[in-house]
Amino acid sequence: MEPPLRYNKCKISRLAGQPPSMVEFPALTGTVACGTGLFAALTPADRGGTVARIEGTELEYVRQQQQPIIEVDNIVKTYKMGRIEVQALKGVTATIRKGEMLSIMGPSGSGKSTFMNVIGCLDKPTSGSYRLEGKEISKLSDNKLAEVRNQRIGFVFQSFNLLHRTSALANVELPMVYSGMKHRKDKAMEALERVGLGPRAKHRPNELSGGEQQRVAIARALVQKPAIILADEPTGNLDSKSSHEIMKIFEELNRTDGITIIVVTHEREIAEHTRRIIHFRDGLISNEETDIGKHKD
């Protein structure tokens, strides 16, 4: 069982007009009834647990285990370069639960990008099992993998990958064009408004700042209502202020929509916006850190 979450009472305030058994966690936007141990509102990955202990200045809360959304078992990925074989993943096993917000870290060549490509259905493992929302997909055809990507996974990249001659609105519409979705313009505008770019919808990428371009990319990832967003170095081309703003958008999407957010990053400060860090080294998971990050602040 996971260790309980611990919260200092200095961050707990009584709710006005509520019974003494009700306490509020402002930083986590959550309310817990101490008698029943139920959160009325909290990040989706943490709802439905129980209060283990309230003593002195500390409260312990035990999270309910959420259903896995990604399960990989002994995944191996080997690339052939002429007569040479390079094993990028050497038997990786991991579980990511629905509603989690986590980061993946590791030096260049550690396997983290290959792992993202596999779980993002951009590449197939050489061997091993990959289950997405309970379905085995490691042996799917390329066309079926494309369907999964289009319907269940949103992507955000370091270089934004926007079409420079089209407006922000048209860029966000693009995934819906491929899927034949109706009311594309309205849905694209709604996504842009969610990331605070409604007034800039008609601007082209070269008329937007780096942070604004990344917001367009996030809006584009949102329009298909994905279960998962994979963000590959999403702040790599941004200054610290814009990086912080982008991570706050991801936190909000995780908290309000329950989207599973997976961030690949080299930056510890960015990783600390998430709840869990998976470290890769030499094609394997070397260690994990849990219950970390600025969510606790």
Side-chain angles (χ1 to χ4, degrees):
M1 175 178 287
E2 291 185 68
L5 302 178
R6 291 178 172 83
Y7 304 106
N8 194 293
K9 264 192 175 177
C10 68
K11 296 177 181 174
I12 300 173
S13 61
R14 297 291 180 187
L15 285 171
Q18 295 291 339
S21 62
M22 300 292 289
V23 293
E24 182 184 19
F25 299 81
L28 298 171
T29 65
T31 303
V32 57
C34 298
T36 61
L38 297 178
F39 275 92
L42 192 59
T43 58
D46 286 341
R47 290 175 184 157
T50 57
V51 173
R53 180 178 66 88
I54 299 179
E55 183 178 327
T57 62
E58 193 176 79
L59 179 146
E60 289 186 359
Y61 174 75
V62 180
R63 293 180 292 196
Q64 181 186 47
Q65 289 289 335
Q66 297 295 311
Q67 290 296 317
I69 193 168
I70 289 174
E71 299 168 277
V72 297
D73 183 22
N74 199 29
I75 287 290
V76 172
K77 180 61 183 179
T78 302
Y79 295 100
K80 291 186 178 180
M81 301 178 179
R83 296 182 180 180
I84 300 174
E85 290 189 350
V86 177
Q87 204 171 53
L89 297 177
K90 302 176 180 179
V92 173
T93 297
T95 298
I96 297 172
R97 298 190 179 276
K98 184 177 180 180
E100 271 200 89
M101 183 169 177
L102 62 94
S103 53
I104 298 172
M105 298 189 72
S108 297
S110 63
K112 64 183 187 300
S113 295
T114 303
F115 180 72
M116 178 180 168
N117 288 341
V118 169
I119 65 175
C121 301
L122 295 168
D123 204 353
K124 296 180 184 180
T126 305
S127 63
S129 171
Y130 172 25
R131 295 175 66 85
L132 177 64
E133 297 180 304
K135 298 178 181 179
E136 181 62 51
I137 64 168
S138 59
K139 302 298 190 294
L140 292 182
S141 67
D142 290 343
N143 287 340
K144 288 294 185 181
L145 285 176
E147 287 182 17
V148 172
R149 286 197 305 271
N150 191 44
Q151 296 171 7
R152 307 305 295 154
I153 304 172
F155 295 90
V156 178
F157 298 100
Q158 177 178 348
S159 57
F160 319 135
N161 288 6
L162 302 178
L163 298 179
H164 294 288
R165 296 185 178 182
T166 60
S167 68
L169 186 65
N171 270 281
V172 176
E173 284 185 70
L174 196 58
M176 296 183 286
V177 173
Y178 294 138
S179 63
M181 191 178 291
K182 297 180 180 179
H183 310 296
R184 295 191 293 266
K185 195 175 294 293
D186 290 342
K187 291 175 180 177
M189 179 57 74
E190 180 183 349
L192 283 170
E193 288 172 348
R194 285 210 63 186
V195 298
L197 277 188
R200 310 279 280 171
K202 295 183 179 180
H203 288 69
R204 295 180 179 182
N206 62 4
E207 299 172 316
L208 302 173
S209 69
E212 289 172 332
Q213 290 184 61
Q214 195 61 292
R215 290 182 187 224
V216 175
I218 294 172
R220 182 182 58 194
L222 279 178
V223 290
Q224 299 283 67
K225 298 191 180 300
I228 302 165
I229 289 181
L230 296 179
D232 188 7
E233 300 285 357
T235 62
N237 289 341
L238 305 179
D239 59 33
S240 58
K241 180 176 182 294
S242 296
S243 296
H244 177 76
E245 291 170 352
I246 291 300
M247 292 308 298
K248 286 298 182 183
I249 290 173
F250 284 134
E251 288 177 33
E252 179 66 17
L253 294 173
N254 174 252
R255 181 168 55 248
T256 61
D257 292 30
I259 300 173
T260 303
I261 308 286
I262 303 171
V263 179
V264 177
T265 182
H266 283 92
E267 301 176 70
R268 177 75 192 191
E269 185 175 355
I270 295 302
E272 288 181 350
H273 281 269
T274 70
R275 288 191 178 277
R276 177 157 72 116
I277 303 175
I278 298 176
H279 293 271
F280 272 77
R281 183 173 292 276
D282 299 328
L284 291 166
I285 294 175
S286 57
N287 68 293
E288 295 189 26
E289 299 176 69
T290 59
D291 297 333
I292 54 102
K294 296 176 180 178
H295 282 286
K296 290 182 169 185
D297 289 348

